[in-house]
Amino acid sequence: EDQVTQSPEALRLQEGESSSLNCSYTVSGLRGLFWYRQDPGKGPEFLFTLYSAGEEKEKERLKATLTKKESFLHITAPKPEDSATYLCAVQVSGTNAGKSTFGDGTTLTVKP
Amino acid sequence: DAGVIQSPRHEVTEMGQEVTLRCKPISGHDYLFWYRQTMMRGLELLIYFNNNVPIDDSGMPEDRFSAKMPNASFSTLKIQPSEPRDSAVYFCASSLREADTQYFGPGTRLTVL
């Protein structure tokens, strides 16, 4: 069974204090790994897609990386507006290739 | 495009009543997904459609739940009869292709008393 585990469950940072969120996965045939941001009372919002080990994507203060077993979301010099829950999801090859399995998320709080 | 549209945004009902949630996907997207989100279980996939055809409904919790997609621009998720444990936020999402980015609607917060 496909599994996605995110850590830590919650992370509190001071503004400007860089850190990383982890998403480890156990799947048979990764087709893509997705990072989403979710603000309270809203639906998840797409951030990045990674397809193969070694791939990296960047957007403003966020950088996502992928290995064969895990993905990291690095946050450089975060600001209070980066506070949100960050979700990762995997899609696999095969019969249910359209189906995403989500992790439970990391709730990030950035204090000014 | 206006994005994925869901209605109602909030629904409060009493146990035993029928509840119908509605979704309009992004135009041109071939895939539509229904999710349920709770604190205890996180974001769970209930069912997804490809070109209006249900592909995988293994996440539908029980026979009280049903979903339809009569055309490419409309889908419903129905709960009959509703129970307090069905209280959750229900999201609809759509994607252009298989294994593609999913775009989520704002969700429907369902409370069953």
Side-chain angles (χ1 to χ4, degrees), chain A residues 7-81:
Chain A
S7 62
E9 193 173 308
L11 182 63
R12 297 172 67 91
L13 300 173
Q14 287 296 129
E15 184 172 2
E17 180 186 1
S18 301
S19 188
S20 296
L21 283 56
N22 178 263
C23 171
S24 62
Y25 59 91
T26 306
V27 301
S28 52
L30 180 72
R31 188 157 179 181
L33 186 141
F34 300 78
W35 281 98
Y36 292 84
R37 168 190 171 128
Q38 186 174 22
D39 292 297
K42 295 189 176 182
E45 179 183 340
F46 169 74
L47 292 173
F48 303 108
T49 309
L50 302 166
Y51 293 106
S52 56
E55 190 174 359
E56 299 182 352
K57 295 271 181 75
E58 281 189 73
K59 180 181 178 180
E60 296 180 356
R61 295 177 293 282
L62 300 176
K63 179 180 177 180
T65 62
L66 181 66
T67 72
K68 289 186 178 179
K69 294 184 178 181
E70 59 191 347
S71 177
F72 291 94
L73 185 65
H74 306 279
I75 303 178
T76 303
K79 298 182 178 182
E81 54 261 42

Side-chain angles (χ1 to χ4, degrees), chain A residues 31 36 38 43 91 96 98 100, chain B residues 33 37 56 91 98-99 102:
Chain A
R31 188 157 179 181
Y36 292 84
Q38 186 174 22
Q91 292 194 2
N96 286 329
S100 289
Chain B
F33 306 83
Q37 188 174 42
D56 184 348
F91 288 104
E98 183 179 78
Q102 294 180 20

Side-chain angles (χ1 to χ4, degrees), chain B residues 35-109:
Chain B
Y35 290 90
R36 178 172 68 177
Q37 188 174 42
T38 61
M39 289 293 292
M40 292 296 295
R41 300 176 66 89
L43 195 61
E44 303 173 277
L45 177 67
L46 300 176
I47 185 172
Y48 77 96
F49 295 82
N50 177 24
N51 290 325
N52 314 335
V53 176
I55 302 300
D56 184 348
D57 66 355
S58 59
M60 297 285 261
E62 46 199 275
D63 292 345
R64 298 184 297 106
F65 286 68
S66 62
K68 294 182 179 179
M69 192 164 186
N71 57 62
S73 59
F74 184 66
S75 178
T76 59
L77 178 68
K78 186 176 293 186
I79 308 172
Q80 166 64 17
S82 57
E83 296 182 3
R85 60 193 167 120
D86 301 331
S87 297
V89 180
Y90 290 80
F91 288 104
C92 176
S94 69
S95 68
L96 187 60
R97 293 176 296 269
E98 183 179 78
D100 204 354
T101 301
Q102 294 180 20
Y103 294 88
F104 284 77
T108 295
R109 181 173 294 278

Side-chain angles (χ1 to χ4, degrees), chain A residues 67-108:
Chain A
T67 72
K68 289 186 178 179
K69 294 184 178 181
E70 59 191 347
S71 177
F72 291 94
L73 185 65
H74 306 279
I75 303 178
T76 303
K79 298 182 178 182
E81 54 261 42
D82 295 323
S83 297
T85 295
Y86 291 85
L87 298 165
C88 77
V90 297
Q91 292 194 2
V92 300
S93 306
T95 307
N96 286 329
K99 178 179 177 179
S100 289
T101 301
F102 279 81
D104 289 337
T106 293
T107 300
L108 172 66

